[in-house]
Amino acid sequence: MYALSGTTHILGIIGNPVRHSLSPAMQNAALAECGLDYIYVPFAVPPEYLGAAVSGLRALGVTGFNVTIPHKTAIMSYLSHLDESAEAAGAVNTVLVQDGLMTGYNTDGFGLISSLADDLGFVAGNGTIVIIGAGGAARGAVAALCRVGAERIILTNRTLSKAIELAEDMRARYPKTGIAAYHQDQINENLLDSASLLVNTTSIGMNGERIDFVDLAKLPKGAKVYDMVYSPLHTPLLKEAASIGIEAVNGLGMLAAQGEMAFSIWTGRMPPKGLMKRVLQRVCNLTTA
Ligand code: ATR
């Protein structure tokens, strides 16, 4: 690590909890690799201290920070400006501080698009993308997919009203993409018939659970699966896809790519390609060993 001095720039992550965050490991590794005089620190911030923490970070002159659960939406009211990525996603995961002004970005969408291309060779365009879930992660994913030109998106959720609400909002923002909403139990009826990609945006799988309402065998030949879950690395959805010959990846590439984009917002440079993902893989293998 770079020797700390009076000129060291401070970066960090605020969340609650942040103990399990993988961002300090991958960001500090990339900063060190690039020889940059920066350090990235985790800050556990309870919700009642969010405003004080944001003022404090500004007063202390930090260069920027990541924002994670549960502050991604609440932080928006404390910022001077929102980038379109954050405005569309309705959430901020990266803040840049310049001359005391704070700009909120959302790099998760970039992370997904980038990981889809790099890890699955998938580029959104003609075809149908089926999304499982309609929460914050789904919103970010849909906004990003619409922005890069997805032709048709089918939203499915356990709570139908939330899928309908998200579809209406996204349709108004991105009229060029056809967006429909269904209950998750309708997935196997015929929603997968023309899908080129299935994306899990829910946390199902983190505790070893199967997504038991989806029959992957109904996907057409060549369709791919993206699971935003990355812990365990071999998620139940990935195992199931592999067992019937469907190409599928976990969300580790998305985590790395959102971090690469945040790094570039703060430092003006992209970290060496693949470095953050390698760090994540190493850390995840250690913790699951
Ligand atoms: P995030 O920001 O990670 O997306 P969220 O906004 O709380 O978190 O959304 C979680 C999503 O996962 C929701 O779509 C949720 O479905 P509901 O809207 O019905 O709550 C979905 N989800 C979580 N656990 C689930 C489960 N066991 N079965 C089906 N859907 C689940």
Side-chain angles (χ1 to χ4, degrees):
M1 189 191 292
Y2 216 85
L4 289 176
S5 74
T7 60
T8 304
H9 297 269
I10 313 291
L11 299 169
I13 178 165
I14 60 170
N16 191 35
V18 280
R19 191 174 316 155
H20 303 294
S21 172
L22 301 174
S23 293
M26 68 173 183
Q27 292 291 350
N28 283 315
L31 292 165
E33 181 70 24
C34 294
L36 293 169
D37 186 12
Y38 285 69
I39 187 165
Y40 184 102
V41 192
F43 298 108
V45 177
E48 63 272 27
Y49 286 126
L50 179 60
V54 173
S55 303
L57 289 167
R58 182 190 285 118
L60 293 170
V62 306
T63 301
F65 53 96
N66 279 134
V67 185
T68 188
I69 291 167
H71 306 312
K72 283 184 166 189
T73 305
I75 191 149
M76 295 173 85
S77 60
Y78 296 100
L79 303 176
S80 340
H81 180 68
L82 291 178
D83 180 67
E84 201 235 318
S85 60
E87 206 263 323
V92 164
N93 78 332
T94 301
V95 175
L96 174 68
V97 190
Q98 280 176 313
D99 304 322
L101 293 179
M102 294 183 149
T103 303
Y105 297 81
N106 192 310
T107 68
D108 287 333
F110 168 86
L112 174 64
I113 301 303
S114 166
S115 177
L116 283 173
D118 291 349
D119 304 327
L120 271 186
F122 180 89
V123 177
N126 292 352
T128 300
I129 299 170
V130 177
I131 308 272
I132 306 171
R139 172 177 288 273
V142 174
L145 289 165
C146 288
R147 281 215 299 275
V148 296
E151 183 193 22
R152 184 170 153 76
I153 295 178
I154 296 178
L155 289 173
T156 64
N157 198 37
R158 175 177 61 183
T159 310
L160 176 61
S161 59
K162 280 175 66 181
I164 291 175
E165 206 177 303
L166 180 57
E168 280 170 1
D169 184 20
M170 290 291 143
R171 250 184 245 126
R173 284 172 192 274
Y174 303 105
K176 286 187 187 155
T177 303
I179 307 178
Y182 294 89
H183 189 271
Q184 67 183 28
D185 290 344
Q186 292 173 276
I187 288 190
N188 294 334
E189 286 172 14
N190 58 2
L191 301 184
L192 297 179
D193 288 0
S194 60
S196 49
L197 177 73
L198 174 70
V199 183
N200 173 36
T201 71
T202 76
S203 54
I204 310 172
M206 284 179 76
N207 299 308
E209 328 87 293
R210 282 188 61 232
I211 304 184
D212 57 8
F213 50 87
V214 177
D215 179 2
L216 293 183
K218 293 203 182 275
L219 281 169
K221 200 168 178 325
K224 298 176 177 184
V225 171
Y226 196 91
D227 193 351
M228 284 195 190
V229 175
Y230 53 80
S231 176
L233 288 174
H234 299 287
T235 69
L237 186 61
L238 257 56
K239 286 185 188 164
E240 204 170 322
S243 75
I244 54 169
I246 292 175
E247 196 180 346
V249 293
N250 65 26
L252 212 64
M254 177 176 168
L255 181 64
Q258 66 74 32
E260 289 171 353
M261 182 50 106
F263 182 102
S264 94
I265 288 170
W266 299 321
T267 68
R269 293 174 55 171
M270 271 314 250
K273 188 119 182 115
L275 174 94
M276 287 192 174
K277 192 159 176 212
R278 282 197 300 279
V279 172
L280 290 176
Q281 262 154 347
R282 198 169 58 228
V283 175
C284 288
N285 280 326
L286 287 177
T287 53
T288 55

